[in-house]
Amino acid sequence: MGKYIAGRIGYMIITFLVIATFTFLLMQTLPGSPFNDEKLSQTQKEALYEKYGLDKPVALRYVKYMANILKGDLGESFQFEGRPVTKVISERIGASAVLGGQAIILGTVVGLLLGMFAALKQNSALDYSSMIISVLGVSIPSFVFAGLLQYWVGVRLQWLPIAFWDGFASSILPTISMAVGVIATMARFMRTEMIEILSQDYIVMAKARGLSGTAVLFRHGLRNALIPIVTLLGPMTINLMTGTLIIEQIFSIPGLGEQFTRSIMTNDYPMIMGTTLFYAALFIGIVFVVDLLYGVIDPRIRLTGGKQ
């Protein structure tokens, strides 16, 4: 197990450095300049280029950037002069993490319960209703739900705030907007897995041994159904974090997604690269945790010698 973890950490570092390289090179192909203000004179622009090292050759800037990354330094933001990118990210990640965390918890719990009961009541009204919800949740983008919730719940009923970040109440509508897609996906997968598992021989044997329906469902059915569901959780969590790019704009929430969008519009290269690398590191870490969870959920899976 220790050898496997050490090997995976090595692969994770290599993957991160490859992503950092591609991100840096892609930034060099962007059109325009981060200093497009017409009020700046040519001399002032040249001074800014020299200050941030943009007048140096690409190869030299790449070596310096990668060396700084290894030291945990993502550079200084052009937009917020003199402020480190890591500090801006740390200040912005709070709202994004709250929204993403609430959405993944709400979506996973509701989706699993909906899919499980749909499988138990196959071809019933509950089953058909859950499938309709799944289709709608997958087909309709989250920003459409965001607009509908703002209008009906915020404007018409005036139950909750429709914008800005002011405590838990202001996080409810954006959380629901993001969780709808998770509920739909989880319910669909859970229903399919549970229907297949409940027809297996070991489930029939468990019932024949006199186990109650609840014990069979949770001890044997739910545990095996969770294995493919866990696979979905990693990419889904990242999708939620990146999905905040639009939701935070709609609800005027000062999160990392809103900052990332603003950085793209202002050609703030260090901020764009820093945010991208942050999301990449998050994705790599979640995939690693998901792989480890396989062995916890299903004892038949053993991680030894770098092979699963």
Side-chain angles (χ1 to χ4, degrees):
M1 187 67 175
K3 186 177 179 181
Y4 171 79
I5 293 176
R8 284 299 304 270
I9 291 175
Y11 283 122
M12 290 164 61
I13 294 173
I14 293 172
T15 304
F16 180 78
L17 294 178
V18 170
I19 294 173
T21 299
F22 274 103
T23 306
F24 178 85
L25 295 176
L26 286 174
M27 285 298 102
Q28 310 311 311
T29 64
L30 284 181
S33 165
F35 308 112
N36 289 324
D37 193 341
E38 295 179 354
K39 297 178 181 178
L40 294 175
S41 65
Q42 185 61 31
T43 306
Q44 290 173 317
K45 290 181 180 178
E46 290 176 357
L48 288 171
Y49 270 76
E50 183 179 359
K51 176 182 178 181
Y52 291 106
L54 297 178
D55 58 337
K56 302 289 190 303
V58 173
L60 188 60
R61 279 187 279 151
Y62 169 74
V63 172
K64 183 179 180 183
Y65 185 73
M66 296 301 288
N68 287 336
I69 284 180
L70 294 177
K71 293 187 292 186
D73 181 7
L74 297 177
E76 292 183 359
S77 168
F78 296 160
Q79 189 180 354
F80 306 101
E81 187 176 354
R83 299 193 66 193
V85 171
T86 51
K87 185 172 180 59
V88 177
I89 291 176
S90 65
E91 292 173 350
R92 293 276 187 158
I93 190 59
S96 299
V98 169
L99 289 182
Q102 289 182 168
I104 196 70
I105 292 173
L106 176 66
T108 301
V109 173
V110 175
L112 291 182
L113 291 175
L114 193 62
M116 189 169 63
F117 287 119
L120 292 175
K121 303 292 182 183
Q122 194 177 2
N123 298 324
S124 67
L126 176 62
D127 186 20
Y128 295 136
S129 300
S130 69
M131 288 305 98
I132 292 173
I133 292 173
S134 297
V135 172
L136 291 176
V138 173
S139 306
I140 301 176
S142 59
F143 61 81
V144 175
F145 286 112
L148 293 173
L149 288 171
Q150 281 182 317
Y151 177 71
W152 286 104
V153 181
V155 177
R156 294 292 295 272
L157 300 175
Q158 297 186 350
W159 286 351
L160 292 167
I162 61 173
F164 304 116
W165 188 246
D166 187 23
F168 176 72
S170 60
S171 72
I172 295 177
L173 293 186
T175 296
I176 295 174
S177 304
M178 296 166 61
V180 171
V182 181
I183 292 173
T185 305
M186 284 291 180
R188 188 158 53 90
F189 273 85
M190 190 63 182
R191 176 184 179 276
T192 304
E193 288 298 321
M194 285 299 291
I195 288 175
E196 182 178 348
I197 288 172
L198 291 176
S199 64
Q200 297 295 314
D201 292 339
Y202 63 87
I203 295 293
V204 177
M205 288 296 296
K207 291 179 179 177
R209 285 165 48 202
L211 290 178
S212 65
T214 304
V216 171
L217 178 65
F218 286 96
R219 191 180 302 173
H220 298 286
L222 183 61
R223 183 170 185 174
N224 290 301
L226 282 179
I227 297 173
I229 299 297
V230 168
T231 308
L232 286 175
L233 275 178
M236 201 169 288
T237 303
I238 297 302
N239 286 338
L240 280 179
M241 294 295 290
T242 54
T244 59
L245 302 179
I246 299 174
I247 296 298
E248 287 176 6
Q249 286 286 333
I250 294 175
F251 288 94
S252 298
I253 295 173
L256 192 57
E258 190 267 349
Q259 178 57 52
F260 185 61
T261 307
R262 190 188 301 176
S263 301
I264 293 174
M265 291 189 291
T266 57
N267 280 344
D268 190 346
Y269 300 154
M271 199 66 224
I272 297 172
M273 288 188 288
T275 310
T276 303
L277 293 181
F278 174 78
Y279 281 128
L282 189 63
F283 181 78
I284 293 171
I286 289 176
V287 170
F288 176 64
V289 172
V290 168
D291 284 348
L292 294 182
L293 282 177
Y294 285 140
V296 177
I297 295 174
D298 189 349
R300 295 172 298 178
I301 299 176
R302 289 287 180 267
L303 307 174
T304 57
K307 294 182 178 180
Q308 181 174 337

